[in-house]
């Protein structure tokens, strides 16, 4: 059944985004949809079929929102081009579960950034859960020991 209420649909889109970020389950979605229906259907309450359609609409929007990788969304929200470029290069070069050698020089070359940005960028990628450091490197040209990272997501 068609829902002819633009305000209700607009609010349902916003709620779907919030519910997706919270990781809401079926019960939370149905409760939130019922609350929305009561708040924004002024002239007549929604029928059961309309409520079901609205619930399906919210679930579909949640699925669409969750398709965007949560790590990528946080990286985009950080608005750091070095972080995003390094993320993209690592994502393009290695598969999930594989390792990559990222010493100071090689990481700067891969990320196309200054060596001063490498450590903060890699630590941010670690905090986000994209990378895990399996071996810490040692400074010095004679140590021959670079940091090795495993891609987790």
């Amino acid at each position: 059944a068609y829902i002819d209420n633009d305000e209700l649909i607009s609010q349902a889109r916003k709620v779907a985004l919030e519910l997706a970020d919270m990781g809401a389950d079926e019960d939370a979605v149905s409760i939130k949809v019922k609350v929305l229906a009561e708040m924004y259907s002024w002239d007549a309450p929604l029928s059961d079929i309309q409520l079901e359609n609205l619930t399906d609409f919210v679930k579909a929007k949640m699925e669409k929102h969750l398709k965007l990788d949560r790590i990528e969304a946080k990286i985009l929200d950080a608005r750091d081009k070095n972080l995003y470029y390094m993320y993209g290069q690592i994502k393009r070069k290695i598969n999930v579960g594989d390792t990559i050698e990222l010493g100071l020089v090689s990481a700067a070359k891969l990320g196309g950034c200054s060596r001063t940005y490498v450590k903060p960028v890699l630590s941010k990628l670690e905090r986000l859960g994209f990378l895990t450091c399996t071996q810490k490197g040692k400074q010095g040209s004679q140590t021959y020991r670079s940091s090795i990272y495993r891609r987790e997501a």
Side-chain angles (χ1 to χ4, degrees), residues 1 3 9 12 16 26 29-30 33 48-64:
I3 301 172
I9 298 298
E26 293 270 334
V29 171
S30 62
V33 166
D48 289 339
I49 296 170
Q50 287 176 320
L51 266 176
E52 188 177 323
N53 283 350
L54 188 60
T55 304
D56 291 342
F57 175 78
V58 169
K59 286 179 185 176
K61 291 296 175 187
M62 285 175 62
E63 292 274 330
K64 188 174 183 181

Side-chain angles (χ1 to χ4, degrees), residues 36-124:
L36 267 178
E38 290 175 12
M39 288 174 60
Y40 292 99
S41 57
W42 302 286
D43 49 350
L46 296 180
S47 68
D48 289 339
I49 296 170
Q50 287 176 320
L51 266 176
E52 188 177 323
N53 283 350
L54 188 60
T55 304
D56 291 342
F57 175 78
V58 169
K59 286 179 185 176
K61 291 296 175 187
M62 285 175 62
E63 292 274 330
K64 188 174 183 181
H65 180 66
L66 289 173
K67 281 186 180 176
L68 174 65
D69 188 353
R70 301 308 323 150
I71 294 173
E72 190 169 352
K74 289 178 182 176
I75 289 172
L76 287 170
D77 289 343
R79 299 180 55 90
D80 182 355
K81 63 183 177 187
N82 292 321
L83 177 67
Y84 187 71
Y85 189 73
M86 181 76 77
Y87 163 79
Q89 288 293 348
I90 294 170
K91 188 175 177 182
R92 189 174 71 80
K93 292 209 184 288
I94 65 170
N95 293 321
V96 175
D98 290 346
T99 58
I100 186 170
E101 176 272 324
L102 290 174
L104 195 61
V105 174
S106 60
K109 188 175 180 182
L110 176 72
C113 62
S114 170
R115 289 187 289 178
T116 57
Y117 291 115
V118 169
K119 191 171 181 178
V121 165
L122 290 177
S123 64
K124 178 79 173 186

